Amino acid sequence: MLKGTFHIQSKEARERIINQFCKWIAISSLISVFIYLYLQIYILSAVTAFVGLLFIYFLNLNKKGKFKVSR
């Protein structure tokens, strides 16, 4: 086994990591939207807002237990 790799044992741990990833993407896209709006780059802010909303939707699907759909 490689030195930097790890194996996630439980299904719950895997779902928790996916949720953390979705939260970080949603937060970073929200910050990016404000930066793009400040710089008056409206197209990028719209696309980034869509990506953020998409990951928030994935979080909702994970909370409802629809893991295959959200992945």
Side-chain angles (χ1 to χ4, degrees):
M1 195 173 222
L2 296 175
K3 187 176 183 179
T5 61
F6 62 94
H7 181 68
I8 300 171
Q9 296 294 330
S10 68
K11 188 175 181 181
E12 293 82 19
R14 198 171 341 143
E15 293 162 3
R16 186 174 53 243
I17 290 174
I18 290 171
N19 284 340
Q20 288 175 352
F21 175 75
C22 289
K23 286 178 191 176
W24 280 109
I25 295 296
I27 290 169
S28 66
S29 66
L30 179 65
I31 293 169
S32 296
V33 166
F34 287 122
I35 292 171
Y36 291 142
L37 287 175
Y38 177 75
L39 296 174
Q40 297 178 351
I41 306 173
Y42 301 115
I43 297 296
L44 283 179
S45 65
V47 171
T48 308
F50 175 74
V51 169
L53 290 174
L54 189 66
F55 277 92
I56 290 172
Y57 178 68
F58 292 155
L59 278 171
N60 271 345
L61 287 176
N62 283 336
K63 287 181 182 178
K64 292 180 181 179
K66 298 181 181 181
F67 304 112
K68 286 186 180 183
V69 177
S70 69
R71 284 189 210 138

Coordinates of all heavy atoms in Angstrom, one line a residue:
M1 N 0.8 -1.2 0.0 CA 0.0 0.0 0.0 C 0.9 1.2 0.0 O 1.9 1.3 0.7 CB -0.9 0.0 1.2 CG -2.0 0.9 1.2 SD -3.1 0.7 2.6 CE -4.6 0.8 1.8
L2 N 0.5 2.3 -0.7 CA 1.3 3.5 -0.8 C 1.2 4.2 0.5 O 0.3 4.1 1.3 CB 0.7 4.4 -1.9 CG 0.9 3.8 -3.3 CD1 0.2 4.7 -4.4 CD2 2.3 3.6 -3.7
K3 N 2.2 5.1 0.7 CA 2.4 5.7 2.0 C 1.2 6.8 2.3 O 0.7 6.9 3.4 CB 3.7 6.4 2.1 CG 4.0 7.1 3.4 CD 5.4 7.6 3.4 CE 5.8 8.2 4.7 NZ 7.1 8.7 4.8
G4 N 0.8 7.5 1.3 CA -0.2 8.6 1.4 C -1.6 8.1 1.2 O -2.5 9.0 1.3
T5 N -1.9 6.9 1.0 CA -3.3 6.4 0.7 C -3.9 5.9 2.0 O -3.3 5.6 3.0 CB -3.3 5.3 -0.3 OG1 -2.6 4.2 0.2 CG2 -2.7 5.8 -1.6
F6 N -5.2 6.0 2.0 CA -6.0 5.4 3.1 C -7.2 4.8 2.6 O -7.7 5.1 1.5 CB -6.3 6.5 4.1 CG -7.2 7.6 3.6 CD1 -8.5 7.6 3.7 CD2 -6.6 8.7 3.0 CE1 -9.3 8.6 3.2 CE2 -7.4 9.7 2.4 CZ -8.7 9.7 2.6
H7 N -7.8 3.9 3.4 CA -9.1 3.2 3.0 C -10.2 3.6 4.0 O -10.0 3.5 5.2 CB -8.8 1.7 3.0 CG -10.0 1.0 2.5 ND1 -10.5 1.0 1.3 CD2 -10.8 0.1 3.2 CE1 -11.6 0.2 1.2 NE2 -11.8 -0.3 2.4
I8 N -11.3 4.0 3.4 CA -12.4 4.3 4.3 C -13.2 3.1 4.5 O -13.7 2.4 3.6 CB -13.3 5.4 3.6 CG1 -12.5 6.7 3.4 CG2 -14.5 5.7 4.5 CD1 -13.2 7.7 2.5
Q9 N -13.3 2.7 5.8 CA -13.9 1.4 6.2 C -15.5 1.5 6.1 O -16.1 0.6 5.5 CB -13.5 1.0 7.6 CG -12.0 0.8 7.7 CD -11.6 -0.4 6.9 OE1 -12.3 -1.4 6.7 NE2 -10.4 -0.4 6.4
S10 N -16.1 2.5 6.7 CA -17.5 2.4 6.8 C -18.2 3.3 5.8 O -17.7 4.3 5.3 CB -17.9 2.9 8.3 OG -17.6 4.2 8.4
K11 N -19.4 2.9 5.6 CA -20.3 3.7 4.7 C -20.6 5.1 5.2 O -20.6 6.1 4.5 CB -21.6 2.9 4.4 CG -22.5 3.5 3.3 CD -23.6 2.5 3.1 CE -24.5 3.0 2.0 NZ -25.7 2.2 1.8
E12 N -20.7 5.2 6.5 CA -21.0 6.4 7.2 C -19.9 7.4 7.0 O -20.1 8.6 6.8 CB -21.4 6.2 8.7 CG -22.7 5.5 8.9 CD -22.5 4.0 8.8 OE1 -21.4 3.5 8.9 OE2 -23.5 3.3 8.6
A13 N -18.7 6.9 7.2 CA -17.5 7.8 7.0 C -17.4 8.3 5.6 O -17.0 9.4 5.4 CB -16.2 7.0 7.4
R14 N -17.7 7.4 4.6 CA -17.7 7.8 3.2 C -18.7 8.9 3.0 O -18.4 9.9 2.3 CB -17.9 6.6 2.3 CG -17.6 6.8 0.9 CD -17.7 5.5 0.1 NE -17.7 4.3 1.0 CZ -18.4 3.2 0.8 NH1 -19.2 3.2 -0.3 NH2 -18.4 2.2 1.6
E15 N -19.9 8.8 3.5 CA -21.0 9.8 3.3 C -20.6 11.1 4.0 O -20.9 12.2 3.5 CB -22.3 9.2 3.9 CG -22.8 8.1 3.0 CD -23.8 7.2 3.8 OE1 -24.2 7.6 4.9 OE2 -24.3 6.2 3.2
R16 N -19.9 11.0 5.2 CA -19.5 12.2 5.9 C -18.5 13.0 5.1 O -18.6 14.2 5.0 CB -19.0 11.8 7.3 CG -18.7 13.0 8.1 CD -18.3 12.6 9.6 NE -17.2 11.6 9.6 CZ -17.3 10.4 10.0 NH1 -18.5 9.9 10.6 NH2 -16.3 9.5 10.0
I17 N -17.6 12.3 4.5 CA -16.6 12.9 3.6 C -17.2 13.6 2.4 O -16.8 14.7 2.0 CB -15.4 11.9 3.3 CG1 -14.6 11.6 4.5 CG2 -14.6 12.5 2.2 CD1 -13.6 10.5 4.3
I18 N -18.1 12.9 1.8 CA -18.8 13.5 0.6 C -19.6 14.7 1.1 O -19.6 15.8 0.3 CB -19.8 12.4 0.0 CG1 -19.0 11.3 -0.7 CG2 -20.7 13.1 -1.0 CD1 -19.8 10.2 -1.1
N19 N -20.2 14.7 2.2 CA -20.9 15.9 2.7 C -20.0 17.0 3.0 O -20.3 18.2 2.7 CB -21.7 15.6 4.0 CG -23.0 14.8 3.6 OD1 -23.5 14.8 2.5 ND2 -23.5 14.1 4.6
Q20 N -18.8 16.8 3.6 CA -17.9 17.8 3.8 C -17.4 18.4 2.5 O -17.2 19.6 2.4 CB -16.7 17.3 4.6 CG -17.0 16.9 6.1 CD -15.8 16.3 6.8 OE1 -14.8 15.9 6.2 NE2 -16.0 16.1 8.1
F21 N -17.1 17.6 1.5 CA -16.7 18.1 0.2 C -17.7 19.0 -0.4 O -17.4 20.1 -0.9 CB -16.4 16.9 -0.7 CG -16.1 17.3 -2.1 CD1 -14.8 17.8 -2.4 CD2 -17.0 17.2 -3.1 CE1 -14.5 18.2 -3.7 CE2 -16.7 17.5 -4.4 CZ -15.4 18.1 -4.7
C22 N -19.0 18.6 -0.3 CA -20.1 19.4 -0.9 C -20.2 20.7 -0.1 O -20.4 21.8 -0.8 CB -21.4 18.7 -0.8 SG -21.5 17.3 -2.0
K23 N -20.0 20.7 1.2 CA -20.1 22.0 2.0 C -19.0 22.9 1.6 O -19.2 24.1 1.4 CB -20.0 21.6 3.5 CG -21.3 21.1 4.0 CD -21.1 20.7 5.5 CE -22.3 19.9 6.0 NZ -22.1 19.5 7.4
W24 N -17.8 22.4 1.4 CA -16.6 23.2 1.1 C -16.8 23.8 -0.3 O -16.5 25.0 -0.5 CB -15.3 22.5 1.2 CG -14.9 22.4 2.6 CD1 -14.8 21.3 3.4 CD2 -14.4 23.5 3.5 NE1 -14.4 21.7 4.7 CE2 -14.1 23.0 4.7 CE3 -14.2 24.9 3.2 CZ2 -13.7 23.8 5.8 CZ3 -13.8 25.7 4.3 CH2 -13.5 25.1 5.5
I25 N -17.3 23.1 -1.2 CA -17.5 23.6 -2.6 C -18.6 24.7 -2.6 O -18.4 25.7 -3.2 CB -17.9 22.5 -3.6 CG1 -16.7 21.5 -3.7 CG2 -18.3 23.0 -4.9 CD1 -15.5 22.1 -4.4
A26 N -19.7 24.4 -1.8 CA -20.7 25.4 -1.7 C -20.3 26.7 -1.1 O -20.6 27.8 -1.6 CB -21.9 24.9 -1.0
I27 N -19.5 26.6 0.0 CA -19.0 27.8 0.6 C -18.0 28.6 -0.3 O -18.1 29.8 -0.4 CB -18.3 27.4 2.0 CG1 -19.4 27.0 3.0 CG2 -17.5 28.6 2.6 CD1 -18.8 26.3 4.2
S28 N -17.1 27.8 -0.9 CA -16.1 28.5 -1.7 C -16.8 29.1 -3.0 O -16.4 30.2 -3.4 CB -15.0 27.5 -2.2 OG -15.5 26.5 -3.0
S29 N -17.8 28.5 -3.5 CA -18.5 29.1 -4.6 C -19.3 30.4 -4.2 O -19.4 31.3 -5.0 CB -19.4 28.1 -5.3 OG -20.5 27.7 -4.5
L30 N -19.8 30.4 -3.0 CA -20.5 31.6 -2.5 C -19.5 32.7 -2.4 O -19.8 33.9 -2.8 CB -21.2 31.3 -1.1 CG -21.9 32.4 -0.5 CD1 -23.1 32.8 -1.3 CD2 -22.3 32.0 0.9
I31 N -18.3 32.5 -1.8 CA -17.3 33.5 -1.7 C -16.9 34.0 -3.1 O -16.8 35.2 -3.4 CB -16.1 33.0 -1.0 CG1 -16.5 32.7 0.5 CG2 -14.9 33.9 -1.0 CD1 -15.4 31.9 1.3
S32 N -16.8 33.1 -4.1 CA -16.4 33.5 -5.4 C -17.5 34.3 -6.1 O -17.2 35.2 -6.8 CB -16.2 32.2 -6.3 OG -15.1 31.5 -5.8
V33 N -18.8 34.0 -5.8 CA -19.8 34.8 -6.4 C -19.7 36.2 -5.9 O -19.8 37.2 -6.7 CB -21.2 34.2 -6.0 CG1 -22.3 35.2 -6.3 CG2 -21.5 32.9 -6.7
F34 N -19.5 36.5 -4.6 CA -19.3 37.8 -4.2 C -18.1 38.5 -4.8 O -18.2 39.7 -5.1 CB -19.2 37.9 -2.6 CG -20.6 37.6 -2.0 CD1 -20.7 36.5 -1.1 CD2 -21.7 38.3 -2.2 CE1 -21.9 36.2 -0.5 CE2 -22.9 38.1 -1.6 CZ -23.0 37.0 -0.7
I35 N -17.0 37.8 -5.0 CA -15.9 38.4 -5.6 C -16.2 38.8 -7.0 O -15.8 39.9 -7.5 CB -14.7 37.5 -5.5 CG1 -14.2 37.3 -4.0 CG2 -13.5 37.9 -6.4 CD1 -13.2 36.3 -3.8
Y36 N -16.8 37.9 -7.8 CA -17.1 38.1 -9.2 C -18.1 39.3 -9.3 O -18.0 40.1 -10.2 CB -17.7 36.9 -9.9 CG -16.6 35.8 -10.1 CD1 -17.0 34.5 -10.0 CD2 -15.3 36.1 -10.4 CE1 -16.0 33.5 -10.1 CE2 -14.4 35.2 -10.6 CZ -14.7 33.8 -10.5 OH -13.8 32.9 -10.6
L37 N -19.1 39.4 -8.4 CA -20.0 40.5 -8.4 C -19.3 41.8 -8.1 O -19.6 42.8 -8.7 CB -21.2 40.3 -7.4 CG -22.2 39.2 -7.8 CD1 -23.2 39.0 -6.7 CD2 -22.9 39.6 -9.1
Y38 N -18.4 41.8 -7.2 CA -17.6 43.0 -6.9 C -16.8 43.4 -8.1 O -16.7 44.6 -8.4 CB -16.7 42.7 -5.7 CG -15.8 43.9 -5.3 CD1 -16.3 45.0 -4.7 CD2 -14.5 43.9 -5.7 CE1 -15.5 46.1 -4.4 CE2 -13.6 44.9 -5.4 CZ -14.2 46.1 -4.7 OH -13.4 47.1 -4.5
L39 N -16.2 42.5 -8.8 CA -15.4 42.8 -10.0 C -16.3 43.0 -11.3 O -15.8 43.2 -12.3 CB -14.4 41.6 -10.3 CG -13.4 41.4 -9.2 CD1 -12.6 40.2 -9.5 CD2 -12.5 42.6 -9.1
Q40 N -17.6 42.9 -11.1 CA -18.6 43.1 -12.2 C -18.4 42.1 -13.3 O -18.5 42.4 -14.5 CB -18.5 44.5 -12.7 CG -18.9 45.5 -11.6 CD -18.8 46.9 -12.1 OE1 -18.3 47.2 -13.2 NE2 -19.3 47.9 -11.3
I41 N -18.1 40.8 -12.9 CA -18.0 39.7 -13.9 C -19.3 38.9 -13.7 O -19.2 37.9 -13.0 CB -16.7 38.9 -13.7 CG1 -15.5 39.8 -13.8 CG2 -16.6 37.9 -14.8 CD1 -14.2 39.1 -13.4
Y42 N -20.3 39.3 -14.3 CA -21.6 38.7 -14.0 C -21.8 37.3 -14.5 O -22.5 36.5 -13.9 CB -22.7 39.6 -14.5 CG -22.7 41.0 -13.9 CD1 -22.4 42.1 -14.6 CD2 -22.8 41.2 -12.5 CE1 -22.3 43.4 -14.1 CE2 -22.7 42.4 -11.9 CZ -22.5 43.5 -12.7 OH -22.4 44.7 -12.1
I43 N -21.2 37.0 -15.7 CA -21.4 35.7 -16.2 C -20.7 34.6 -15.3 O -21.4 33.6 -15.0 CB -20.8 35.6 -17.7 CG1 -21.5 36.5 -18.6 CG2 -20.8 34.2 -18.2 CD1 -22.9 36.2 -18.9
L44 N -19.5 34.9 -14.9 CA -18.9 34.0 -14.0 C -19.6 33.8 -12.6 O -19.6 32.8 -12.0 CB -17.4 34.4 -13.7 CG -16.4 34.1 -14.8 CD1 -15.1 34.6 -14.5 CD2 -16.4 32.6 -15.1
S45 N -20.2 34.9 -12.2 CA -20.9 34.9 -10.9 C -22.1 34.0 -11.0 O -22.5 33.3 -10.1 CB -21.2 36.3 -10.4 OG -22.1 36.9 -11.3
A46 N -22.8 34.1 -12.2 CA -24.0 33.3 -12.4 C -23.6 31.8 -12.5 O -24.3 30.9 -11.9 CB -24.7 33.7 -13.7
V47 N -22.6 31.5 -13.2 CA -22.1 30.1 -13.3 C -21.7 29.5 -12.0 O -22.1 28.4 -11.6 CB -21.0 30.0 -14.4 CG1 -20.4 28.6 -14.4 CG2 -21.5 30.3 -15.8
T48 N -20.9 30.3 -11.2 CA -20.5 29.9 -9.9 C -21.6 29.7 -9.0 O -21.6 28.8 -8.1 CB -19.4 30.9 -9.4 OG1 -18.4 31.1 -10.4 CG2 -18.8 30.4 -8.1
A49 N -22.6 30.6 -9.0 CA -23.8 30.5 -8.2 C -24.6 29.2 -8.5 O -25.0 28.5 -7.6 CB -24.7 31.7 -8.4
F50 N -24.6 28.8 -9.8 CA -25.3 27.6 -10.2 C -24.6 26.4 -9.6 O -25.2 25.4 -9.1 CB -25.4 27.5 -11.7 CG -25.9 26.2 -12.2 CD1 -27.3 25.9 -12.1 CD2 -25.1 25.2 -12.8 CE1 -27.8 24.7 -12.6 CE2 -25.6 24.0 -13.2 CZ -26.9 23.8 -13.1
V51 N -23.2 26.4 -9.7 CA -22.4 25.3 -9.2 C -22.7 25.2 -7.6 O -22.8 24.1 -7.1 CB -20.9 25.5 -9.5 CG1 -20.1 24.5 -8.7 CG2 -20.7 25.3 -11.0
G52 N -22.7 26.3 -6.9 CA -22.9 26.3 -5.5 C -24.3 25.7 -5.2 O -24.4 24.9 -4.2
L53 N -25.3 26.1 -5.9 CA -26.6 25.6 -5.7 C -26.7 24.1 -6.0 O -27.5 23.4 -5.3 CB -27.7 26.4 -6.5 CG -27.9 27.9 -6.1 CD1 -28.8 28.6 -7.1 CD2 -28.5 27.9 -4.7
L54 N -26.0 23.7 -7.0 CA -26.0 22.3 -7.3 C -25.4 21.5 -6.2 O -26.0 20.4 -5.8 CB -25.2 22.1 -8.6 CG -25.2 20.7 -9.2 CD1 -26.6 20.4 -9.7 CD2 -24.2 20.7 -10.4
F55 N -24.3 21.9 -5.5 CA -23.8 21.2 -4.4 C -24.6 21.3 -3.2 O -24.6 20.3 -2.4 CB -22.3 21.6 -4.2 CG -21.3 21.0 -5.1 CD1 -21.0 21.5 -6.3 CD2 -20.8 19.7 -4.7 CE1 -20.1 20.9 -7.1 CE2 -19.9 19.1 -5.6 CZ -19.5 19.7 -6.8
I56 N -25.3 22.3 -3.0 CA -26.3 22.4 -1.9 C -27.4 21.4 -2.1 O -27.9 20.7 -1.2 CB -26.8 23.8 -1.7 CG1 -25.7 24.8 -1.2 CG2 -28.0 23.9 -0.8 CD1 -26.1 26.2 -1.2
Y57 N -27.8 21.3 -3.4 CA -28.8 20.2 -3.7 C -28.3 18.8 -3.4 O -29.0 18.0 -2.9 CB -29.2 20.4 -5.2 CG -30.2 19.4 -5.7 CD1 -31.5 19.4 -5.2 CD2 -29.8 18.4 -6.6 CE1 -32.4 18.4 -5.7 CE2 -30.7 17.5 -7.1 CZ -32.0 17.5 -6.6 OH -32.9 16.5 -7.1
F58 N -27.0 18.6 -3.7 CA -26.4 17.3 -3.4 C -26.4 17.0 -1.9 O -26.7 15.9 -1.5 CB -25.0 17.2 -4.0 CG -24.9 17.2 -5.5 CD1 -23.8 17.6 -6.1 CD2 -26.0 16.7 -6.2 CE1 -23.7 17.6 -7.5 CE2 -25.9 16.7 -7.6 CZ -24.7 17.1 -8.2
L59 N -26.2 18.1 -1.1 CA -26.3 17.9 0.3 C -27.6 17.5 0.8 O -27.8 16.7 1.7 CB -25.9 19.2 1.0 CG -24.4 19.5 1.2 CD1 -24.1 20.9 1.7 CD2 -23.8 18.5 2.2
N60 N -28.7 18.2 0.2 CA -30.0 17.8 0.5 C -30.3 16.3 0.2 O -31.0 15.6 0.9 CB -31.0 18.7 -0.2 CG -31.4 19.9 0.6 OD1 -31.1 20.0 1.8 ND2 -31.9 20.9 -0.1
L61 N -29.9 15.9 -1.0 CA -30.1 14.5 -1.4 C -29.4 13.6 -0.4 O -30.0 12.5 -0.1 CB -29.6 14.3 -2.8 CG -30.4 14.9 -3.9 CD1 -29.7 14.6 -5.3 CD2 -31.8 14.3 -4.0
N62 N -28.2 13.9 0.1 CA -27.5 13.1 1.0 C -28.3 13.0 2.3 O -28.3 11.9 3.0 CB -26.1 13.6 1.3 CG -25.2 13.2 0.2 OD1 -25.4 12.3 -0.6 ND2 -24.1 14.0 0.0
K63 N -28.9 14.1 2.8 CA -29.6 14.1 4.0 C -30.9 13.3 3.9 O -31.3 12.7 4.9 CB -30.0 15.5 4.4 CG -28.8 16.3 4.9 CD -29.2 17.7 5.4 CE -28.0 18.4 5.8 NZ -28.3 19.8 6.2
K64 N -31.4 13.2 2.7 CA -32.6 12.4 2.5 C -32.3 10.9 2.2 O -33.2 10.1 2.1 CB -33.4 12.9 1.3 CG -34.0 14.3 1.6 CD -34.8 14.8 0.4 CE -35.4 16.1 0.6 NZ -36.1 16.6 -0.5
G65 N -31.0 10.6 2.1 CA -30.6 9.2 2.0 C -30.5 8.7 0.5 O -30.4 7.5 0.3
K66 N -30.5 9.6 -0.4 CA -30.4 9.3 -1.8 C -29.0 9.4 -2.3 O -28.6 10.3 -3.0 CB -31.4 10.1 -2.6 CG -32.8 9.9 -2.3 CD -33.7 10.8 -3.1 CE -35.2 10.5 -2.6 NZ -36.1 11.3 -3.4
F67 N -28.1 8.5 -1.8 CA -26.7 8.7 -2.0 C -26.3 8.4 -3.4 O -25.4 9.1 -3.9 CB -26.0 7.8 -1.0 CG -26.3 8.0 0.4 CD1 -27.0 7.1 1.1 CD2 -26.0 9.2 1.0 CE1 -27.4 7.3 2.4 CE2 -26.3 9.4 2.3 CZ -27.0 8.5 3.0
K68 N -26.9 7.5 -4.1 CA -26.5 7.1 -5.4 C -26.8 8.3 -6.4 O -26.0 8.6 -7.3 CB -27.2 5.9 -5.9 CG -26.6 4.6 -5.3 CD -27.2 3.4 -5.9 CE -26.6 2.2 -5.2 NZ -27.1 0.9 -5.8
V69 N -27.9 8.9 -6.2 CA -28.3 10.1 -7.0 C -27.4 11.2 -6.8 O -27.0 11.9 -7.7 CB -29.8 10.5 -6.8 CG1 -30.2 11.7 -7.6 CG2 -30.7 9.3 -7.0
S70 N -27.0 11.5 -5.6 CA -26.2 12.6 -5.3 C -24.7 12.5 -5.7 O -24.1 13.4 -6.0 CB -26.2 12.9 -3.8 OG -25.5 11.9 -3.0
R71 N -24.3 11.2 -5.8 CA -22.9 11.0 -6.3 C -22.9 11.2 -7.8 O -21.9 11.6 -8.4 CB -22.4 9.6 -6.0 CG -22.1 9.5 -4.5 CD -21.4 8.2 -4.2 NE -21.7 7.9 -2.9 CZ -22.1 6.7 -2.4 NH1 -22.1 5.7 -3.3 NH2 -22.4 6.5 -1.2

